[in-house]
Every structure is written in C-alpha cells, then in structure tokens.
Amino acid sequence: MHNRTSEPPARSPRRRSVALAVAALTAVALAALTPWPRGFQGAPTGDAELMAEVEQALGGKHWQHIAAARVDGDEVAFAGTGADEHTEFEIGSITKTFTAALFADAIDRGEIDADTRLGEVWPDLEGKVAEVSLESIAMQRSGLPAQKPWSGFAEGLTSILANYVRADPYRASPSDVVAGLDSVELGDEEPEYSNFGFAVLGQALAEVTGHDYAELVRTRITEPLGMDDTFVPGSPEGLSHGFTASGLPAAPWVMGGHAPAGAIRSSAHDMAIWLEAVRDGTAPGAKAAESRTDFDDSDRIGWAWFTTKDRSPNLTWHNGGTGGYRSFLGFSAETGHGVIVLSDSANWVDAAAGLVSSPSRSQTGGQS
C-alpha cells in the first residue's frame, strides 16, 4: 500500500490575517518586555553635532536618555536625546566633589583643620578609627572599608535583596553611618575607593557645623553659584526610575546617611556651572580639586577629584554611578575645555572624555 503525506488545508485570507496580527502583537509585546541594544531614545535637543559626537564616543549599548555639555572657555554647548540641559539626573559619585568642596570650605571658615581626627568630631569613638583624619578620607586613603559594615543579619539581607530587585541599597540613617565606625576594621592607609568614607566625611561636616548635609550643599554651594537644578533628595519623588546596563528599570537612590557619597541630583546646565567654577577657582572649596598625591598608575588625587597622568591634555575629573544612572565630568585647567555627560542608563559614559582629551601614545600602545 502506497502511503502519501496529506497536504494541509489552505488557510482562508481571514485566518491568515488573524495569524499575522497575533504574530505582530506578540513581537511588539516581546520587544516591550525584552531590552535590546539600541541608541538613545526620544527627541534630540540642543547641538546636533555634539550629540552625534557623544553617541559615537559611547557606542551602541542599552541606552535610554542623555544630556551632555561641552565647555570651551566661557562657551558652553548643550545636547541631548530625550532630555535637555535642565533634565534631572542622579549624578552618583560626582557628589563626592561637593562633599570635598564642603570639606575645603569648612577649613577656609576655620571650622576644622585638614588633619582633624574622627575622635575630635565624635569624642566617644575609641581605638584606631578615632585617629583617622578627615583629609585621609577625602584622599581615599583612610583605611576605612569601601562599604559600611553591616550592623547585623537583617541589614545584610536587606542590602543583598536590594541589589536583586534593583532598589536603593543604602538604607542607613546618618546616625547609623556614624555608629558603623564602632565596628569597623581599618585597612592599610593606602589608596582604596570608599563610599563609606565619604558618607562619614559628610556626616562629620554636618556634626561640626550643626547643619545637615543637604542644607550644607544648598547654603554653601548651590545657592551661591545659582545651581537651581541641584539638590540632595529627601525622597525618591521626582524621578520615575533609571535603567540598568541591560535596560531594566532601576529605582531612584536617596541613600539616607550615605548621601554625601552619591545622592545629589542635578542637570547638565548646573554641572556646567560647577565645572567652570571649580576650574576657575571661584567655587566654594575649589582647592579640593588640586592634585596632591598618586592614586594609581593612571591618576593622581586631590580631595575626591582625580587628575589623569596619561592623557593630552590631562583632565581633572570624577564619574558617578547609581542603580540606574551614570555620569562623567572632566576638565582641563590648562586648555579650559571640559565635558559633562549624564545618562539614565547604568552604562559607563567615561569614554566621553575623548571629546576634549586624548590618551597618550603609551596608553594606546604607540612607541616613542
């Protein structure tokens, strides 16, 4: 007996249309739920040539929205996609440059000395941690750990879970940050980047001055410089979310007692004001940016600020990152050029330094 494979019945035009519609809707739903590498989203703003240069420098990743500024002496050009020069972003650890400026300004006011010790700020502190100087913290060589020691199982579990659900992992209050010094184990006094250290530095300044950190930023820096878009948030309100490096939503960070390490929100407009004022030495505490000692093979460090040793021209800079944002600010005091990039995606934007500075030949593998 001869076996034959039967032909499938022909679909009617209506059934074919329904199938195509279902397939199209499925594709749209999957596209909405599954992030993919793509360029910045939204309408372009400002200088189109600058935006094109920024996109070329940063490359193709899970981007969302961006605002950028390029400074040339007194001239500033702004550009963005889905954002403009007044759009609010988390600037992450660029916040540390504000904390360092407050430190330098407090010295100028005679409120503290560079070598003021933690035990002088909080007399109840005991042991080696009481001997840690504020300047050693500002220069990232205090021996304090990168993160605050967990006070117990509950705090540790909360911090771990926050990373998994893309929430703010910094829940400690200012008093909790200070209390963390009681159980800290100091490392060697050598360069080690410490968020905990800058949280402690900010809370020490609040203790000495009698004003909380947010008030110090407002009254001593942002109001005098006219930086109306810049502030230390007291709640997540104002930002819906940023995005992880893979394009998933991430909650805003308020950071509680860790605010001096990375909580400030700002705009490209205000970061341009900050860049120019620090570069020109007119910002309160601008001397924080002065290079003081080597941090690693590539950079020297002042108080928070890094200065490259292997670029042309060398840049004084800091970057920042939170759960859903990245930032970069760098300038050359020699040429007057500078660049700022703020992004609501957790992909690093440091490559934007190439808009105003180039790697040395040795860094790129060239031979002299």
Side-chain angles (χ1 to χ4, degrees):
M1 183 179 210
H2 180 66
N3 292 318
R4 180 174 63 90
T5 302
S6 60
E7 296 291 332
R11 291 185 178 181
S12 68
R14 182 182 178 189
R15 289 182 64 189
R16 189 180 300 112
S17 297
V18 170
L20 290 173
V22 170
L25 289 172
T26 301
V28 170
L30 288 173
L33 294 173
T34 306
W36 69 94
R38 54 187 178 184
F40 290 101
Q41 306 298 297
T45 62
D47 188 315
E49 181 178 349
L50 173 58
M51 188 62 229
E53 291 181 36
V54 171
E55 287 198 72
Q56 182 177 9
L58 299 184
K61 296 180 181 177
H62 290 287
W63 299 115
Q64 300 289 335
H65 313 99
I66 195 169
R70 179 159 53 194
V71 178
D72 182 2
D74 295 331
E75 299 294 323
V76 184
F78 295 103
T81 304
D84 61 25
E85 64 265 36
H86 291 289
T87 300
E88 181 180 314
F89 291 83
E90 294 177 351
I91 66 170
S93 283
I94 294 179
T95 298
K96 291 180 174 69
T97 68
F98 287 77
T99 305
L102 291 173
F103 172 56
D105 184 60
I107 293 172
D108 291 340
R109 292 169 180 259
E111 295 168 329
I112 55 172
D113 295 318
D115 58 0
T116 294
R117 296 173 291 107
L118 292 181
E120 296 175 77
V121 178
W122 295 290
D124 290 340
L125 275 181
E126 298 179 349
K128 292 182 179 180
V129 72
E131 300 302 315
V132 171
S133 72
L134 298 186
E135 182 176 42
S136 71
I137 298 174
M139 294 172 66
Q140 297 283 20
R141 57 198 318 117
S142 64
L144 290 171
Q147 303 294 344
K148 172 186 163 304
W150 293 336
S151 60
F153 176 79
E155 183 179 8
L157 180 61
T158 299
S159 296
I160 293 171
L161 289 177
N163 289 322
Y164 278 103
V165 300
R166 303 182 298 281
D168 181 358
Y170 293 95
R171 303 300 181 90
S173 67
S175 59
D176 290 336
V177 167
V178 177
L181 292 169
D182 292 330
S183 58
V184 76
E185 292 186 12
L186 286 181
D188 295 332
E189 293 184 6
E190 58 186 25
E192 181 178 1
Y193 195 87
S194 174
N195 284 315
F196 177 52
F198 263 80
V200 169
L201 179 59
Q203 299 310 331
L205 295 171
E207 179 72 17
V208 167
T209 63
H211 302 286
D212 67 34
Y213 179 72
E215 184 179 1
L216 287 172
V217 170
R218 177 177 59 81
T219 59
R220 297 191 175 187
I221 297 179
T222 61
E223 285 185 351
L225 292 178
M227 298 171 64
D228 297 335
D229 297 337
T230 305
F231 65 101
V232 180
S235 75
E237 294 180 4
L239 291 176
S240 55
H241 52 65
F243 298 87
T244 68
S246 60
L248 299 173
W253 285 12
V254 178
M255 298 187 68
H258 284 85
I264 286 178
R265 298 181 191 172
S266 189
S267 66
H269 171 272
D270 278 17
M271 286 291 94
I273 294 175
W274 184 233
L275 185 157
E276 291 180 287
V278 173
R279 180 199 65 190
D280 298 342
T282 59
K287 70 179 183 183
E290 296 174 3
S291 175
R292 288 172 169 80
T293 189
D294 285 348
F295 183 78
D296 56 23
D297 291 340
S298 300
D299 293 291
R300 289 177 60 80
I301 192 169
W303 294 338
W305 290 96
F306 296 99
T307 298
T308 61
K309 299 187 291 184
D310 52 8
R311 299 187 69 89
S312 179
N314 284 317
L315 296 181
T316 298
W317 66 279
H318 213 292
N319 60 5
T322 61
Y325 291 81
R326 291 292 185 268
S327 59
F328 179 83
L329 183 156
F331 65 88
S332 166
E334 177 185 355
T335 66
H337 295 162
V339 65
I340 298 136
V341 175
L342 306 176
S343 171
D344 64 354
S345 172
N347 288 296
W348 292 104
V349 294
D350 298 27
L355 274 64
V356 294
S357 174
S358 301
S360 67
R361 291 185 68 192
S362 61
Q363 188 178 351
T364 57
Q367 298 298 318
S368 58

